[in-house]
Amino acid sequence: MNRAVWFQASPEGAKAVTVLHRFTTTGTSLPSSLTHLVFLRVSQINGCAHCIDIHARDLVAEGMSIDKVLLVPVWHEVEYLFSEKERAALAWAEEVTRVSETHASDDAYAAALKVFGEKDLVDLTITIATMNAINRMGISFRMKPRAKA
């Protein structure tokens, strides 16, 4: 079934999403590589092929090794590959993305707050929420990845 091209069908809606995305990529003090790492992990949890493709490529373009990118889904098993800040961001991204299960527990919040501080944690949470919204658009309207057979 062909589905709507959501950003053409609702240009004003797309503009609103773009403003959020722009804030998360240029309006915070979070490093770009950390933002794209969070975008990738959230997209993996949600199963958005389009976004996984984009953000894996972004991380490689920023200099992250392919080995590290490939191991993001199992980062708990290879924690030594990830910095303290990356581990905290990945843990919080999982907690917030799975909020219906985790309810953003006090323990997870305290752990993230310890690493990020209040302002950066809020910005990180906006980043996570933004990617969750974009994933839902990509999946719902079957956006295709750039990867070729």
Side-chain angles (χ1 to χ4, degrees), residues 76-112:
H76 291 279
E77 295 180 41
V78 290
E79 288 186 350
Y80 60 90
L81 290 176
F82 298 90
S83 70
E84 177 187 27
K85 194 165 252 187
E86 289 171 332
R87 291 190 308 270
L90 289 166
W92 187 242
E94 291 176 357
E95 189 82 8
V96 173
T97 299
R98 295 180 172 130
V99 73
S100 68
E101 301 164 22
T102 68
H103 304 287
S105 74
D106 288 344
D107 289 343
Y109 177 82

Side-chain angles (χ1 to χ4, degrees), residues 3-7 47-51 54 134-146:
R3 299 199 182 188
V5 178
W6 70 271
F7 44 87
C48 183
H50 175 79
C51 293
I54 287 172
I134 293 169
N135 287 164
R136 278 146 180 79
M137 299 306 292
I139 293 165
S140 298
F141 294 100
R142 303 291 191 262
M143 292 180 71
K144 303 286 184 233
R146 290 186 302 180

Side-chain angles (χ1 to χ4, degrees), residues 7-134:
F7 44 87
Q8 290 174 353
S10 179
E12 290 303 311
K15 184 177 178 181
V17 173
T18 299
V19 168
L20 269 174
H21 184 267
R22 188 174 304 117
F23 171 76
T24 65
T25 57
T26 64
T28 76
S29 63
L30 300 173
S32 177
S33 60
L34 186 75
T35 298
H36 289 292
L37 181 64
V38 166
F39 283 170
L40 176 60
R41 185 65 190 121
V42 169
S43 299
Q44 289 169 337
I45 292 167
N46 290 325
C48 183
H50 175 79
C51 293
I52 291 168
D53 185 48
I54 287 172
H55 300 297
R57 290 173 193 274
D58 288 342
L59 287 167
V60 171
E62 288 189 357
M64 186 176 285
S65 74
I66 193 71
D67 294 335
K68 188 171 175 178
V69 172
L70 289 172
L71 292 169
V72 169
V74 292
W75 68 271
H76 291 279
E77 295 180 41
V78 290
E79 288 186 350
Y80 60 90
L81 290 176
F82 298 90
S83 70
E84 177 187 27
K85 194 165 252 187
E86 289 171 332
R87 291 190 308 270
L90 289 166
W92 187 242
E94 291 176 357
E95 189 82 8
V96 173
T97 299
R98 295 180 172 130
V99 73
S100 68
E101 301 164 22
T102 68
H103 304 287
S105 74
D106 288 344
D107 289 343
Y109 177 82
L113 183 62
K114 181 179 176 184
V115 174
F116 285 99
E118 199 169 78
K119 167 78 167 79
D120 283 347
L121 184 55
V122 170
D123 287 345
L124 176 61
T125 307
I126 293 168
T127 300
I128 295 162
T130 298
M131 187 48 48
N132 272 287
I134 293 169

